[in-house]
Amino acid sequence: MSLTKIPQVVLNSSSNRCSMPVIAFGTAADTNKSSAETTKVAVIEAIKLGYTHFDTASVYGSEDALGEAIAEALQLGLIKSRGELFITSKLWVTDNFPHLVLPALQKSLQRLKLEYLDLYLIHWPISVKPGDWEIPYSEELITTFDLKGVWTAMEECQKLGLAKSIGVSNFTRKKLEDLLSFATIPPSVNQVEMNPAWNQKKLREFCEAKGIIITAFSPLGAKGASWGSNEVMDSEILKEIAQAHGRTIAQVSLRWLYEKGVTIAVKSYNKERMKQNLEIFDWSLTREDHEKIDQIKQIRVNNGPVVFFDNLWDGET
Ligand code: NAP
């Protein structure tokens, strides 16, 4: 079987300037619709198709299944060594305290059965009192987020070799500016919602100028997930462009992200769709396509794990 060769980007502030594959296989699935076994089977299938970058987080509950799939892929000889894979995981908001960062990373590594992560991200720029609360959290559970203390602990994780690179997720320009004012290791990545219906124009320009790679999550608008919408997959504009190229709406959306110079985390546990989502590198969109996509109505869908918290986006739309 011929594997799709996925392009890579260099992470400037990682140890040894690591390369990151531009497409990650997402593993956030609604738990009521997906079991650990489904995740494991999907990851093994994904490795067979050529995916090498896997995106997980402690809150997704997918670390154990991903770890088992990696172990099985090694056993089956689908990969020769763990080094062929790029694994991203994330620090959850109830661990967003300086003294909890290293223990949280160690727990993630244990669940993944790995010695190091390729990338460790602060999942959201908020701290929620430690505990097993129901999500979305009520506002009373939010407490002060010590960004400097947490980032210093993240830097320590990279220095210890437990994470080859570190970054953030769901950070606005203002929060990145705060972080860059004291970071000794700047964040390699900011993983944020981005798709044709939420194009992150200003954040993209800012991150490009600062050498921070954007990873687009919910690149298809997460249709079908509790945190998603139909804005992308039901877009008439994207449908028209897809028909003109003999492609699917998903492929147009993913290709558009790639041409915007960002990296992507996309989730499908369906073999045909997994394959389709990799077939975006040997064709391109036209300038007219880009102009049409720029007309799509903009709407952010994912407002984070808190019932209401207006501090999250710093007034940015
Ligand atoms: P997404 O990738 O935009 O959409 C996933 C949905 O689209 C699934 O229902 C999937 O169903 C369907 N799908 C996938 N490929 C398709 C195709 N070619 N045609 C039609 N439908 C398709 O949404 P997401 O899961 O929210 O985002 C991707 C990953 O980003 C997550 O899994 C997670 O790893 C990460 N993420 C990060 C954050 C964060 O805060 N940092 C937030 C959300 C997500 P099937 O599985 O049935 O194909």
Side-chain angles (χ1 to χ4, degrees):
M1 182 176 20
S2 72
L3 296 185
T4 305
K5 190 95 186 101
I6 300 173
Q8 311 229 347
V9 288
V10 172
L11 302 181
N12 289 320
S13 42
S14 59
S15 325
N16 306 325
R17 289 171 57 82
C18 304
S19 290
M20 179 173 88
V22 301
I23 293 193
F25 182 89
T27 64
D30 271 340
T31 37
N32 53 351
K33 293 189 201 154
S34 179
S35 66
E37 185 59 22
T38 318
T39 303
K40 183 180 159 190
V41 169
V43 169
I44 291 174
E45 201 53 58
I47 292 175
K48 287 183 188 163
L49 290 170
Y51 286 89
T52 51
H53 181 178
F54 292 87
D55 184 81
T56 183
S58 58
V59 76
Y60 300 165
S62 58
E63 289 177 321
D64 279 305
L66 176 56
E68 280 173 27
I70 296 170
E72 195 162 318
L74 280 164
Q75 214 171 27
L76 294 171
L78 299 176
I79 46 170
K80 288 194 191 68
S81 73
R82 181 266 180 261
E84 289 175 33
L85 301 179
F86 188 103
I87 309 296
T88 298
S89 192
K90 313 184 193 86
L91 176 75
W92 189 236
V93 294
T94 47
D95 288 318
N96 241 354
F97 300 88
H99 67 292
L100 296 182
V101 174
L102 181 58
L105 171 56
Q106 284 165 330
K107 280 183 218 146
S108 282
L109 289 173
Q110 224 167 34
R111 287 188 289 265
L112 286 158
K113 297 182 254 306
L114 297 178
E115 285 175 3
Y116 69 90
L117 289 178
D118 296 278
L119 179 62
Y120 196 42
L121 306 176
I122 296 178
H123 205 148
W124 287 91
I126 49 169
S127 297
V128 167
K129 287 179 191 151
D132 197 10
W133 321 107
E134 205 175 309
I135 302 173
Y137 303 115
S138 59
E139 208 175 340
E140 308 88 75
L141 290 172
I142 299 180
T143 177
T144 313
F145 174 41
D146 172 6
L147 174 60
K148 190 169 184 186
V150 169
W151 189 254
T152 306
M154 294 287 285
E155 288 178 339
E156 199 47 38
C157 293
Q158 180 167 325
K159 287 178 195 155
L160 288 169
L162 297 175
K164 301 276 181 208
S165 41
I166 51 176
V168 296
S169 178
N170 299 299
F171 269 46
T172 57
R173 284 173 293 161
K174 181 175 176 308
K175 291 197 171 74
L176 287 172
E177 256 163 10
D178 286 354
L179 174 54
L180 291 171
S181 72
F182 56 75
T184 61
I185 303 176
S188 288
V189 166
N190 186 19
Q191 184 178 119
V192 293
E193 177 178 345
M194 181 176 161
N195 55 54
W198 189 240
N199 66 30
Q200 296 280 18
K201 188 169 185 299
K202 290 182 191 155
L203 184 68
R204 254 189 294 131
E205 285 162 3
F206 179 88
C207 286
E208 197 180 336
K210 302 291 179 190
I212 300 169
I213 305 273
I214 286 195
T215 298
F217 75 66
S218 302
L220 310 178
K223 182 177 173 175
S226 54
W227 58 91
S229 87
N230 298 352
E231 299 291 332
V232 175
M233 296 302 281
D234 290 355
S235 159
E236 284 300 322
I237 294 178
L238 295 176
K239 190 172 159 194
E240 226 174 79
I241 297 171
Q243 276 168 352
H245 287 273
R247 300 282 166 177
T248 64
I249 291 180
Q251 288 173 318
V252 169
S253 186
L254 298 173
R255 177 71 203 184
W256 174 82
L257 287 160
Y258 180 60
E259 290 187 12
K260 288 289 177 198
V262 302
T263 62
I264 301 163
V266 60
K267 179 262 166 188
S268 177
Y269 285 0
N270 170 282
K271 190 175 167 184
E272 280 313 306
R273 293 192 283 276
M274 281 181 208
K275 189 164 169 288
Q276 184 193 116
N277 294 346
L278 290 181
E279 291 166 352
I280 63 159
F281 298 115
D282 58 353
W283 58 281
S284 46
L285 295 167
T286 63
R287 188 147 51 90
E288 291 73 31
D289 294 334
H290 277 274
E291 283 165 7
K292 285 184 195 157
I293 293 173
D294 286 345
Q295 305 306 314
I296 293 177
K297 186 179 77 176
Q298 296 295 295
I299 179 166
R300 177 197 289 119
V301 173
N302 193 328
N303 280 310
V306 182
V307 173
F308 173 75
F309 189 56
D310 63 355
N311 239 356
L312 208 46
W313 307 115
D314 301 316
E316 288 186 12
T317 52

